[in-house]
Amino acid sequence: MEIKYEYSRKRSEFGRPCSFSDFLAEVTADIPPDPSLADDFIAQDPVDFAVQEGPVMALHEVNTERVQVSVRGVNHVEGGWPKHVDPKNSELTTRYREEVEREEVYTKTVQRLGSLVEHYIRQNNTIDIYEEYFEEEEEDEEEEEHPSAKTINVLRDLQTDLCWSPQRDPNAIRRMVTHLSWHPDANRAVAVAYCSLDFQDSRKDMNSDSYVWDLEKPYTPELTLKPSSPVVTLEYNSKDWYHMLGGCYNGQIVYWDTRKGGLPVEMTPVEFSHRDPVYGACWLPSRTGTECLSGSTDGQVLWWDIRKLSQPSEKLILDITREDQLNKALGAISLDFAPVLPTKFLVGTEQGIIVSCNRDAKTPPEKIANIFRSHIGAVYTVTRNPFFPKVFLSVGDWTARIWTEELMDSSSIMETKYHTAYLLDVCWSPVKPAVFFTARSDGVLDVWDFLFHQKEPSLSLKMSNDPLLSVRSQDNGQIVGCGTKTGSVSLLEISPGLCTLRKNEKTLTSTMFEREMRREKVLQEKYRERQLREQEKKKAQPEEKEDPQEVFKQAQADFFSNIKAEQRRR
């Protein structure tokens, strides 16, 4: 059984022509001038524009036949032969014909040789005739013979390849560049966090905005981020490029969706946020890509989900005594999380201690896995090696130190020399496992390559007269960004020698780390043996009570004797 329904329509309704008619003009709106608005009119200053415009010319070529034209009894020859060929001069004509013949012979010879070469290449297609068998040995010989020449070339390339002029804070009151974050999509933009970290800095009209700069348009920001409090740290989400995470000076966590503009989508309540500025914030690898982690100098590490920022999902108190007491907690000033180790993260504290934490532990005290007593002052930055995640780098006081998690409660396996200026930031090269960049308080950027030199930096470049507070490298290692205390950002293009991975470089770096780790183990065992021997001696000797006055007199005599010896030496 078939059910049919027919729709009918009048034939006159199909293709009905449009009817046009002429009528007189009408006034739809009439707004007369209002003299009272003349006072509100702001006259724009005259601006002169210089415009250069010229006619667009095109090149035309015409090959005409030989034509003889007679004008007032004078014969003219136009077109056809070249100017230097005179048909009446047989010598020039013969020379021109010989040149043309030689060109034809040369062209035919090249074509014939090309067919022969193509034939031999097809015949020997199983052999790579362009293979270089001794490339690595030649490179090693050149490096051993001329190490200084490569350093000079690197210096020249870095000095001449300043690809972005220093861009300052657009506001009248200059603020510090506290953090840089590169856009995950081919590093086409960089997010810069501007904040004044000076104690009780209450200057009037201080702006709290941060900016996203496009590398192709360095003079105007691509996006202006407007938080409720100045942003100390900014991070792009590697999974969702449009999401940005920020840690504010008042302790709040905010996130932006750059597709919706510069206003925050959501922020944490003040009562559930940190009590101090958020110096570290990073995204966590998850299925949804919405989980994040934050650390502050109030001694807490908080886990968040941007889908519900009303309260933290988890909390950790950095109490190394493992009593879980907030009044004994260490203040977190730096934070690092590597996606290859999804349950572990590192925290650098104000007290110079690095805390290695494990999120999968059952109780909060067990989450503090290991403690590294690293620097005299605050640990400004701690970051894992992108090739060897168990090896991490820290910077504080006057040195940068390299550590390994395989040695518990030990000193660093490698370190730089002591500088006269403070080191404020550091970052690994993402393409070379032994290269890292350090930012100093005297405005100098140091490039270290531990495979090349361990006592001195491979390159030192004066970037600014102001302290360098932040340094970050692109994912390809070709451009490094530096931020100063006065709000300027400079980008440097690195030479190929510092951003190209050589053969066996990863293996050599691994061997170097293992060698230093074994050396540190031997020194640690010898130190423990010496401590045991000293304890046994103390137990064997009877206890003798020393007179404090005699100890004081002996110390005083030693002190003055040292002073006199120094005076005699001088």
Side-chain angles (χ1 to χ4, degrees), residues 197-251:
L197 299 179
D198 293 334
F199 181 67
Q200 293 183 349
D201 188 2
S202 58
R203 288 177 289 179
K204 294 182 180 180
D205 300 331
M206 182 180 294
N207 202 331
S208 61
D209 297 345
S210 293
Y211 304 97
V212 177
W213 300 91
D214 191 349
L215 300 189
E216 297 180 356
K217 301 176 182 178
Y219 300 105
T220 55
E222 181 185 17
L223 180 64
T224 301
L225 306 176
K226 296 183 174 296
S228 59
S229 177
V231 175
V232 182
T233 180
L234 270 176
E235 287 293 342
Y236 273 105
N237 191 342
S238 59
K239 189 173 183 179
D240 191 350
W241 302 339
Y242 300 105
H243 286 173
M244 293 182 63
L245 180 68
C248 297
Y249 190 77
N250 64 352

Side-chain angles (χ1 to χ4, degrees), residues 379-442:
V379 182
Y380 292 109
T381 305
V382 56
T383 174
R384 293 185 184 271
N385 191 294
F387 295 87
F388 309 101
K390 291 186 178 181
V391 177
F392 59 92
L393 177 66
S394 66
V395 69
D397 50 58
W398 303 274
T399 60
R401 301 170 184 259
I402 297 178
W403 309 77
T404 177
E405 288 186 333
E406 296 182 2
L407 294 178
M408 302 299 180
D409 298 329
S410 64
S411 60
S412 59
I413 59 174
M414 302 180 76
E415 64 182 27
T416 64
K417 67 174 184 178
Y418 277 81
H419 297 80
T420 56
Y422 282 101
L423 300 186
L424 302 178
D425 199 5
V426 68
C427 71
W428 288 101
S429 171
V431 293
K432 294 176 74 67
V435 175
F436 58 92
F437 308 90
T438 58
R440 288 162 42 179
S441 60
D442 56 355

